Amino acid sequence: FDILQLSFAATTPELADKKKYPYFFRTVPSDNAVNPAILKLLKHYHWKRVGTLTQDVQRFSEVRNDLTGVLYGEDIEISDTESFSNDPCTSVKKLKGNDVRIILGQFDEEMAVKVFCCAYDEEMYGSKYQWIIPGWYENLWWESWINSSQCLSKNLLAAMEGYIGVDFEPLSSKTNKTISGRTPQQYEKEYNAKRGDGQSSKFHGYAYDGIWVIARTLQRAMNYLNSTNKHQKIEDFNYTNHKLGKIFLNAMNETRFFGVTGEVVFRNGERMGTIKFTQFQEQKEVKVGEYNAVDDKLVIINNSIRFQGLEPPKDKTIIQEELRKISLPLYSILSALTILGMIMASAFLFFNIKNRNQKLIKMSSPYMNNLIILGGMLSYASIFLFGLDGSFVSEKTFETLCTVRTWILTVGYTTAFGAMFAKTWRVHAIFKNVKMKKKIIKDQKLLGIVGGMLLIDLCILICWQVVDPLRRTVEKYNMEPDPAGRDISIRPILEHCENTHMTIWLGIVYAYKGLLMLFGCFLAWETRNVSIPALNDSKYIGMSVYNVGIMCIIGAAVSFLTRDQPNVQFCIVALVIIFCSTITLCLVFVPKLITLRTNPDAATQNRRFQFTQNQKKEDSKTSTSVTSVNQASTSRLEGLQSENHRLRMKITELDKDLEEVTMQLQDTPEKTTYIKQNHYQDLNDILSIRNFTDSKDGEKAILKNHLDQNPPAQWGSSDPSRTSKDPIEDINSPEHIQRRLSLQLPILHHAYLPSIGGVDASCASPCVSPSASPRHRHVPPSFRVMVSGL
């Protein structure tokens, strides 16, 4: 039948189907009318991610389905849709697992109590969550169902605190006069007065406006009939008159007036009413806003909504990635220590260059010392790069630094210890290889050795860079609560320099460095008994290797265990590098500096020709040690050429003086007694000019032995048969020359040969044959030629 039907209380969404119910109207908004209001509320608080929890009842399912259509295309995501029949706890737990913060619920009062009990158990309440549920529940609705749940009343109220209810407005809050001439407030007052003690219904205002809708529809239809067809009246209506039924339908659709429930307007038979928002605050419902469907406008009453936190809840867990960076104060402190270390290294470099011509520094290979300092400074410089992370540089720059700092540290390590071990190898080659030909091992060869070690490093690093270069990787850790109490979660991230086969490449580098350290330990052990402090750094090398090895092992282990704590890791790495570099430089240069300031000759002379009691007891070791000393002297001849030249000039002068004395003795034999008494001291002074003897006592002993075996009286003796000859001819005679050589050779033998590895001051007598002393059994032929030349 084409009969209009008007309802003031039917809210079921099913009646909105105009294909089934084309003539159905209602003055009360349907349950679906709340969905546009919910959409407006979500947009107002910028909630773009929600979840739904629906009771398995057709009424609620239809509202949920309509809400899905309303939210579709509005840039609001329904991240999870859950439904339940009797136990909502499983669904609530799933919502929490999907990180749903804004929950849109559709369920009755009985299920609402269970839902909030589950929410309390899952801690889905408070400042991080917002529940939006139907607002048509009865006043104090929870008290009727609290006994049916296993939840305490205080726990239920705690979970309910702050939920927002959505329902249609029973009466308009405006003070405008309605079509009846009364304001909504006047109507409510008159209604309550006539109602008395009877039960109130929230639909009475819609029933009152419904009467006015019917009246306005009839009036409009009559006016239409009068203006269009004067022969047909409203009294002619019957159930089969379709034309008149259409007139009534159009008239009701076009009806519009202001009633006690607000603006009365129909759209496809649905009332476009006013939706109110209430919030549960301190165990009571408080109106916080309303939505006018006609104007599509949401009004929130000022400061009426109370959220549990300082701000509205987030629609999801806001994950803020926070880079775990190195503390700036820590970086500053360690950088200051590094700068002090580099200043110390620069001071050592200045000391080494300034005193490079000193015997002590010259014998310790100043060029190699410079390389040790350079390696230490490179190691220091790597600390600055290790402290630069994403808070200082960009991602691309950080990736470049990954490679640069690895190269600098590797090259610096090899340069420092390679130079140190090369020096030790030269000492080992001189003192331990007795079959080695006597030749000078120049610094150029040691530089070649260090260059070879660096070449191996470069090959490893280049292959590493080409095959599997270091990349910037980000490691993410578990979320942590915000320390400031904000509704966000902090996900710490940490930058690393890694590649695919990191373990293999590190193993290769560690293996090579380990072999280099073992080689250094071997050289230090082999040269431990070398008695020349300026050459022998074995003790300090051993200490350096020990300290560096222990610190590297401890540092690598602790650094790996603290890789998720960048401040601790950087502090350990920096301190290990600073300690290793500083202790190595100090062990190499501090003893030299002290020796040079206190007794510069002690390290190069005092122990050069001393034999301990143990060496004297072991003949084989003594022979080897003597040979080693000769070889060491050979390697140092280049450095002593200037002094050797000075000695030659001095010997030439002494030769002339001796020749004059000899001539005087030959010509005036009567002055022998005078010479014996007055020239003994002059001869003693002449014979005592030696720069490479151990003590003055040894010199006096040599001179005494020489005088005892060659008394002065014999120097002035002459053959009577030759006294009558010409003095000049007598001086150049073979006998005179032989006598003169008999005086000069012992003096040269004792005064000069010890400085080039010949006769030592320990010889008992200058007249004894050199072959009679163990110290002269291995004098090289080149030395004998040198003496003859002199």
Side-chain angles (χ1 to χ4, degrees):
F1 302 100
D2 298 330
I3 302 177
L4 291 178
Q5 295 174 322
L6 180 66
S7 174
F8 61 88
T11 60
T12 176
E14 187 178 4
L15 296 175
D17 187 359
K18 291 306 173 183
K19 292 182 179 180
K20 293 182 179 180
Y21 314 102
Y23 290 94
F24 178 80
F25 287 81
R26 48 187 166 191
T27 56
V28 61
S30 72
D31 293 335
N32 287 343
V34 300
N35 291 334
I38 292 175
L39 172 63
K40 207 70 174 179
L41 181 68
L42 296 178
K43 288 184 175 182
H44 180 76
Y45 289 107
H46 306 287
W47 290 329
K48 297 183 178 182
R49 187 175 182 271
V50 299
T52 61
L53 181 63
T54 308
Q55 183 179 355
D56 283 337
V57 176
Q58 182 180 2
R59 174 185 180 184
F60 301 121
S61 299
E62 289 177 351
V63 175
R64 190 265 318 277
N65 294 336
D66 181 75
L67 177 63
T68 302
V70 171
L71 298 182
Y72 180 78
E74 296 291 340
D75 196 24
I76 296 178
E77 173 192 359
I78 301 179
S79 59
D80 192 12
T81 300
E82 298 292 335
S83 61
F84 65 94
S85 296
N86 188 38
D87 183 12
C89 290
T90 302
S91 298
V92 171
K93 188 177 296 184
K94 289 181 179 179
L95 289 173
K96 183 179 181 181
N98 290 326
D99 191 33
V100 175
R101 297 289 197 90
I102 311 300
I103 304 100
L104 307 179
Q106 287 292 331
F107 34 76
D108 57 26
E109 296 97 324
E110 180 182 5
M111 291 296 105
V113 173
K114 295 182 179 181
V115 167
F116 283 111
C117 284
C118 296
Y120 180 85
D121 294 338
E122 296 295 331
E123 298 182 350
M124 290 185 65
Y125 65 95
S127 61
K128 295 182 178 180
Y129 295 91
Q130 182 61 60
W131 289 84
I132 301 175
I133 63 175
W136 43 261
Y137 299 160
E138 297 292 337
N139 190 28
L140 302 178
W141 55 269
W142 63 90
E143 294 181 354
S144 303
W145 305 100
I146 185 65
N147 296 328
S148 63
S149 66
Q150 299 178 355
C151 187
L152 297 178
S153 177
K154 63 177 184 179
N155 297 340
L156 177 63
L157 292 175
M160 291 169 53
E161 184 68 23
Y163 80 74
I164 295 177
V166 187
D167 192 19
F168 55 82
E169 183 75 87
L171 292 174
S172 175
S173 59
K174 295 181 179 180
T175 58
N176 300 342
K177 286 187 178 182
T178 64
I179 192 173
S180 64
R182 304 179 181 89
T183 64
Q185 294 76 22
Q186 292 174 344
Y187 162 79
E188 184 178 18
K189 183 178 180 180
E190 186 177 352
Y191 169 78
N192 290 332
K194 293 182 178 181
R195 178 175 59 87
D197 295 334
Q199 186 177 3
S200 174
S201 172
K202 66 178 183 179
F203 297 103
H204 65 85
Y206 292 97
Y208 182 78
D209 284 341
I211 300 299
W212 281 100
V213 169
I214 295 174
R216 293 286 293 181
T217 300
L218 292 175
Q219 183 183 13
R220 194 176 188 85
M222 291 173 62
N223 293 335
Y224 177 79
L225 291 174
N226 292 333
S227 61
T228 57
N229 190 354
K230 297 181 180 181
H231 299 286
Q232 189 174 11
K233 299 179 180 181
I234 194 171
E235 293 85 354
D236 298 333
F237 173 79
N238 58 57
Y239 295 109
T240 60
N241 192 337
H242 298 286
K243 185 177 180 181
L244 195 56
K246 289 291 183 181
I247 293 175
F248 288 148
L249 179 63
N250 294 332
M252 185 168 287
N253 270 327
E254 294 174 359
T255 299
R256 182 171 183 171
F257 62 89
F258 182 76
V260 295
T261 58
E263 192 77 19
V264 178
V265 179
F266 296 101
R267 184 176 298 170
N268 293 327
E270 293 296 314
R271 167 72 185 273
M272 304 296 293
T274 302
I275 306 299
K276 70 172 180 177
F277 293 94
T278 59
Q279 188 179 35
F280 189 75
Q281 300 176 0
E282 299 177 356
Q283 303 184 22
K284 62 181 180 179
E285 299 278 354
V286 177
K287 182 179 178 180
V288 294
E290 65 179 25
Y291 168 74
N292 189 335
V294 178
D295 299 332
D296 190 25
K297 184 178 180 181
L298 174 67
V299 177
I300 301 296
I301 300 176
N302 294 333
N303 300 323
S304 58
I305 294 184
R306 299 179 185 176
F307 294 107
Q308 302 299 301
L310 300 177
E311 57 184 358
K314 306 297 182 182
D315 57 3
K316 62 181 177 180
T317 300
I318 302 300
I319 301 176
Q320 181 175 334
E321 293 187 346
E322 186 176 277
L323 177 65
R324 287 185 175 178
K325 55 187 179 181
I326 296 173
S327 172
L328 183 58
L330 177 63
Y331 181 76
S332 301
I333 293 172
L334 293 176
S335 297
L337 293 177
T338 303
I339 292 173
L340 292 177
M342 299 184 75
I343 293 174
M344 180 196 68
S346 301
F348 287 150
L349 180 62
F350 174 77
F351 164 78
N352 190 68
I353 295 175
K354 181 180 179 181
N355 299 281
R356 64 185 181 277
N357 292 325
Q358 295 286 340
K359 293 181 182 179
L360 176 63
I361 304 301
K362 198 174 187 68
M363 291 179 66
S364 65
S365 302
Y367 293 112
M368 294 297 102
N369 293 341
N370 292 341
L371 287 181
I372 294 174
I373 297 173
L374 176 61
M377 296 188 74
L378 287 176
S379 299
Y380 281 129
S382 66
I383 296 177
F384 297 110
L385 303 182
F386 275 104
L388 296 177
D389 54 16
S391 60
F392 297 100
V393 297
S394 62
E395 295 181 2
K396 186 176 181 180
T397 305
F398 179 82
E399 192 167 288
T400 304
L401 290 177
C402 289
T403 302
V404 174
R405 69 190 188 186
T406 303
W407 282 56
I408 290 179
L409 183 59
T410 304
V411 172
Y413 178 92
T414 303
T415 302
F417 282 93
M420 187 185 301
F421 297 156
K423 288 199 321 177
T424 310
W425 170 83
R426 177 161 63 181
V427 177
H428 175 268
I430 293 174
F431 282 85
K432 291 299 179 181
N433 188 4
V434 296
K435 296 182 180 180
M436 180 180 178
K437 294 182 179 180
K438 292 169 281 296
K439 61 181 180 180
I440 298 175
I441 302 178
K442 296 185 179 181
D443 287 342
Q444 286 79 356
K445 187 169 185 179
L446 302 185
L447 291 174
I449 294 174
V450 177
M453 296 178 182
L454 291 175
L455 184 61
I456 296 175
D457 266 338
L458 292 178
C459 290
I460 295 174
L461 293 174
I462 291 174
C463 292
W464 188 350
Q465 181 66 23
V466 173
V467 177
D468 193 12
L470 289 171
R471 302 292 186 188
R472 174 185 178 271
T473 60
V474 176
E475 183 178 2
K476 296 183 179 181
Y477 296 89
N478 295 330
M479 291 186 295
E480 300 174 355
D482 180 45
R486 296 175 298 174
D487 186 20
I488 61 175
S489 294
I490 304 298
R491 184 186 294 278
I493 63 173
L494 188 59
E495 294 175 315
H496 295 292
C497 292
E498 294 179 344
N499 53 14
T500 307
H501 306 288
M502 190 72 174
T503 305
I504 297 176
W505 293 108
L506 288 179
I508 294 174
V509 174
Y510 290 159
Y512 171 55
K513 302 302 179 184
L515 292 176
L516 187 62
M517 298 292 281
L518 291 177
F519 178 65
C521 291
F522 167 76
L523 293 177
W525 176 261
E526 286 291 309
T527 59
R528 68 190 185 280
N529 292 324
V530 175
S531 58
I532 304 176
L535 296 176
N536 185 14
D537 290 333
S538 60
K539 179 175 68 174
Y540 305 122
I541 291 175
M543 294 174 63
S544 297
V545 171
Y546 174 79
N547 288 309
V548 171
I550 294 297
M551 290 302 298
C552 287
I553 292 173
I554 296 175
V558 177
S559 176
F560 177 78
L561 295 176
T562 59
R563 69 193 309 267
D564 58 337
Q565 304 177 40
N567 285 322
V568 178
Q569 187 182 43
F570 172 64
C571 183
I572 291 173
V573 171
L575 290 178
V576 167
I577 295 176
I578 292 173
F579 176 82
C580 293
S581 301
T582 303
I583 198 68
T584 300
L585 293 176
C586 289
L587 287 173
V588 171
F589 290 99
V590 171
K592 293 178 175 57
L593 190 147
I594 295 174
T595 303
L596 192 64
R597 297 302 180 189
T598 57
N599 191 6
D601 294 331
T604 59
Q605 293 182 1
N606 289 347
R607 295 174 56 189
R608 188 182 307 156
F609 301 113
Q610 285 185 347
F611 287 87
T612 61
Q613 295 296 329
N614 294 333
Q615 288 174 327
K616 291 182 179 181
K617 292 179 181 180
E618 299 178 6
D619 293 337
S620 61
K621 292 184 178 180
T622 301
S623 177
T624 303
S625 179
V626 172
T627 305
S628 300
V629 172
N630 292 334
Q631 293 173 345
S633 299
T634 303
S635 64
R636 293 177 49 246
L637 282 178
E638 184 179 2
L640 300 175
Q641 285 180 354
S642 60
E643 190 170 1
N644 192 13
H645 177 71
R646 184 181 62 82
L647 291 175
R648 289 181 182 181
M649 298 299 295
K650 188 66 176 177
I651 290 172
T652 303
E653 295 177 0
L654 294 176
D655 190 20
K656 293 180 181 180
D657 293 340
L658 287 174
E659 207 169 311
E660 292 178 1
V661 172
T662 304
M663 292 175 61
Q664 292 176 4
L665 291 174
Q666 180 66 27
D667 294 339
T668 57
E670 64 276 11
K671 296 181 181 180
T672 300
T673 304
Y674 175 78
I675 294 174
K676 179 177 181 181
Q677 295 177 356
N678 297 287
H679 288 269
Y680 279 171
Q681 185 62 35
D682 295 337
L683 293 174
N684 190 10
D685 294 338
I686 293 172
L687 295 174
S688 64
I689 298 176
R690 302 171 59 195
N691 292 330
F692 296 97
T693 57
D694 295 333
S695 65
K696 293 182 179 180
D697 294 339
E699 298 171 2
K700 292 180 180 180
I702 295 173
L703 180 59
K704 182 179 179 181
N705 293 335
H706 179 71
L707 293 177
D708 290 341
Q709 295 180 14
N710 299 277
Q714 296 178 1
W715 298 352
S717 62
S718 59
D719 190 356
S721 62
R722 300 183 59 87
T723 56
S724 59
K725 294 183 179 181
D726 188 7
I728 298 177
E729 294 179 357
D730 188 66
I731 289 174
N732 296 324
S733 64
E735 292 82 5
H736 202 96
I737 293 175
Q738 183 177 3
R739 185 181 299 111
R740 198 162 61 241
L741 290 175
S742 66
L743 292 175
Q744 294 176 358
L745 288 179
I747 294 172
L748 295 175
H749 186 67
H750 281 76
Y752 182 72
L753 288 187
S755 65
I756 58 172
V759 177
D760 188 34
S762 60
C763 293
S765 174
C767 296
V768 180
S769 174
S771 62
S773 174
R775 297 286 303 271
H776 296 73
R777 293 174 185 173
H778 303 287
V779 177
S782 59
F783 290 169
R784 293 196 293 270
V785 173
M786 185 181 296
V787 172
S788 301
L790 291 172

